[in-house]
Amino acid sequence: MYELYIKLFEYFNIPTILAQISWPVFPFVGVATTLVIVVIFLVLLERKLLALLTVRKGPNRVGPNGFFQTFADAIKLLFKEDIMATNTNKILFTIAPIVFFAPVMVIYGLVPFSGNLLAINAAAGLFLILGITSISTIGIILSGWASNNKYSLLGGIRGAAQAISYEIPLVLAAVGICVLAGSMNLPTIVQGQSGGIVNNLFFNWNIFSWNIWPAALGLVVFFICSLAEINRIPFDLPEAESELVSGYNTEYSGMKFALFFLAEYAALFIICVLISVLFLGGYLSPFNDYLSLLIFKNFINNQIILNLLVNIEQIAWLMLKTYFLIFVIMWIRATLPRLRADQLMNFSWKFLLPLSLLNLFIVAIYRFLFPL
C-alpha cells in the first residue's frame, strides 16, 4: 500500500517527501472512516437481524424502513450532556474510554483486506495484534476504578478477569496458526492457505489448504474466546444491567459512553476479519482461481485494470466470510442465555484451555507429518 502511495505521487510529479510526511495521515483517515461506517451499519444490521430472529419489527420509523435510526442515535449521543460525578478521578475517567477504544483502530491497520490493501505490514503482525488487544483490559480497569462507584469497580474487575482468562486459550489457538504457517506475518499466513478450500484432494495426502481443516478445534476455541473478548452473549456480563448495574460504564454518559459500544462493534467486525484471515483463507478465493480473471482476462488486456478487479474481488471474498461470521454471532445473541460469572470463568480454565492445548498438539503433529 505504501509503495502504491509513493508511485501515485511520482505519477503526478509531486515531491515524494510530501508522500512520506503525509503517509501516516492517510491510513489513519482511512481506518477512522471505515470504522465509523462499519459500526453504523453493524448496529442497524444487528437490530434488523434480532428483530427477524425474535419475530419483532425492529427499527421501522426513522427514515425508510428505519435505516436512519442509527444516525439518530449517534446524533442523540453527541448532544447528550457529559456528566461526571464530583468524586471521580476526572483525568483517568476521561482517558479510560480512549484506552479502551484506541487499540481497535490500530488493529484495522494491521489486517490485510486484499493483496495490496494493508496499511502496516508487520513481520510479527499476529503477535502485535494479540498484544494490542490486551491493552483494552487497562481501559476496563481504569473506567471502573476512576468512577468512584463500587458497582463500577466490581464490574471493571469482573470484566478484566474475563478478558484475561479468555486471552490465554485465544493466544494458544493463534499459536497453532503460527505453527501451520511458519510465520506471524498475516499476509504470509493468508498466502499459505492458497489453493482453494482443499488442494489436490485426489492426488496428494496433503489435502488441506485453509487452516480450518487441520486447526478446526482451534477455530472453535478462537471463535468462543473472541465472543468473550468483545463481550458478546453468552459472555456479556459487563452489560448485565440487572446484576451489575451496567458494570464498568455505569457512570458514563454522552460520547464517553458511546466510545465503549463503538469499540465493541468495531471489534466485532475486525475480530471476524481476523478469524477469516487466520482460518478461512482471508481474501483468497475458495475456488483457487479468481472469477474476475476467468471472466475478464479474454476481454481486458490492461494488467493494471485486471489487478484492480482482482483486489476488488479479494475484498468481496473477505467481506463475505466476515459477514457470515457476524451473522453467526448475532444469531447466537438471539438464541443463548447469559452465563453466570462462575460458569464463565470455569468454562475458560476447565474446557477452553485444555482444548487449545490439544489443538496445538494436533497442529504440531500435522506439521511434523506434512512439513512446509
Side-chain angles (χ1 to χ4, degrees):
M1 192 70 179
Y2 177 71
E3 290 78 9
L4 291 175
Y5 190 68
I6 296 293
K7 288 179 181 178
L8 185 64
F9 273 70
E10 292 174 349
Y11 180 79
F12 290 103
N13 295 321
I14 302 174
T16 55
I17 186 66
L18 294 177
Q20 295 169 356
I21 294 173
S22 62
W23 167 247
V25 178
F26 178 73
F28 175 81
V29 173
V31 166
T33 305
T34 304
L35 187 146
V36 172
I37 293 172
V38 162
V39 170
I40 289 174
F41 177 72
L42 283 182
V43 172
L44 180 63
L45 177 65
E46 180 158 39
R47 286 178 170 182
K48 291 289 187 180
L49 277 178
L50 289 177
L52 177 67
L53 294 170
T54 56
V55 197
R56 292 183 290 111
K57 289 185 177 181
N60 61 354
R61 290 289 185 272
V62 185
N65 202 25
F67 285 114
F68 294 154
Q69 182 64 56
T70 308
F71 292 98
D73 292 339
I75 293 170
K76 178 185 69 175
L77 287 170
L78 278 170
F79 285 94
K80 270 195 170 183
E81 184 180 359
D82 181 17
I83 300 171
M84 282 192 286
T86 306
N87 295 324
T88 57
N89 187 319
K90 292 178 174 53
I91 296 176
L92 295 181
F93 187 83
T94 304
I95 291 175
I98 301 172
V99 174
F100 187 78
F101 173 76
V104 180
M105 285 196 66
V106 179
I107 297 172
Y108 272 71
L110 291 167
V111 174
F113 290 90
S114 74
N116 292 318
L117 191 55
L118 171 63
I120 306 169
N121 188 6
L126 180 56
F127 177 77
L128 187 57
I129 286 175
L130 296 174
I132 290 171
T133 54
S134 63
I135 296 175
S136 297
T137 308
I138 300 173
I140 293 174
I141 296 173
L142 280 179
S143 61
W145 185 82
S147 296
N148 193 32
N149 179 323
K150 293 181 176 61
Y151 291 108
S152 298
L153 179 59
L154 287 172
I157 293 171
R158 286 189 179 187
Q162 172 180 326
I164 293 170
S165 298
Y166 281 84
E167 274 178 7
I168 296 172
L170 182 141
V171 169
L172 288 173
V175 169
I177 299 300
C178 296
V179 172
L180 286 173
S183 173
M184 289 188 288
N185 179 256
L186 291 178
T188 303
I189 291 173
V190 173
Q191 291 303 321
Q193 301 176 74
S194 58
I197 298 179
V198 292
N199 189 16
N200 298 326
L201 181 59
F202 299 107
F203 305 103
N204 193 331
W205 283 106
N206 187 13
I207 65 171
F208 303 126
S209 179
W210 287 5
N211 291 333
I212 185 177
W213 305 117
L217 188 57
L219 172 60
V220 174
V221 172
F222 197 94
F223 181 79
I224 294 173
C225 291
S226 298
L227 292 180
E229 287 292 304
I230 58 178
N231 297 324
R232 300 288 303 188
I233 282 181
F235 307 105
D236 67 332
L237 285 184
E239 295 178 24
E241 292 182 0
S242 59
E243 298 91 347
L244 301 178
V245 198
S246 196
Y248 54 82
N249 55 16
T250 301
E251 299 294 333
Y252 285 89
S253 63
M255 281 309 297
K256 289 193 183 79
F257 179 81
L259 275 178
F260 286 106
F261 289 94
L262 185 67
E264 286 186 14
Y265 277 97
L268 167 64
F269 176 79
I270 204 63
I271 202 71
C272 290
V273 172
L274 186 60
I275 293 172
S276 301
V277 166
L278 296 181
F279 296 94
L280 304 177
Y283 52 78
L284 297 177
S285 168
F287 308 115
N288 192 21
D289 294 320
Y290 290 107
L291 300 178
S292 55
L293 287 179
L294 294 175
I295 296 171
F296 295 108
K297 68 180 179 181
N298 295 326
F299 305 100
I300 301 175
N301 295 323
N302 192 316
Q303 191 61 40
I304 296 176
I305 296 177
L306 285 175
N307 289 338
L308 178 61
L309 290 173
V310 168
N311 275 271
I312 292 173
E313 184 180 346
Q314 287 177 340
I315 295 172
W317 282 120
L318 181 61
M319 291 300 102
L320 188 64
K321 299 168 187 176
T322 299
Y323 277 98
F324 171 75
L325 292 171
I326 290 172
F327 169 75
V328 172
I329 290 175
M330 293 179 178
W331 190 4
I332 290 172
R333 176 174 179 177
T335 307
L336 296 181
R338 182 181 295 119
L339 293 176
R340 294 197 317 263
D342 59 321
Q343 294 172 332
L344 182 144
M345 300 301 287
N346 287 337
F347 187 63
S348 174
W349 293 104
K350 295 182 179 180
F351 293 95
L352 292 183
L353 183 59
L355 287 178
S356 62
L357 292 171
L358 177 61
N359 170 72
L360 189 58
F361 176 75
I362 293 171
V363 165
I365 294 296
Y366 171 79
R367 185 47 70 211
F368 176 76
L369 296 175
F370 304 106
L372 291 170

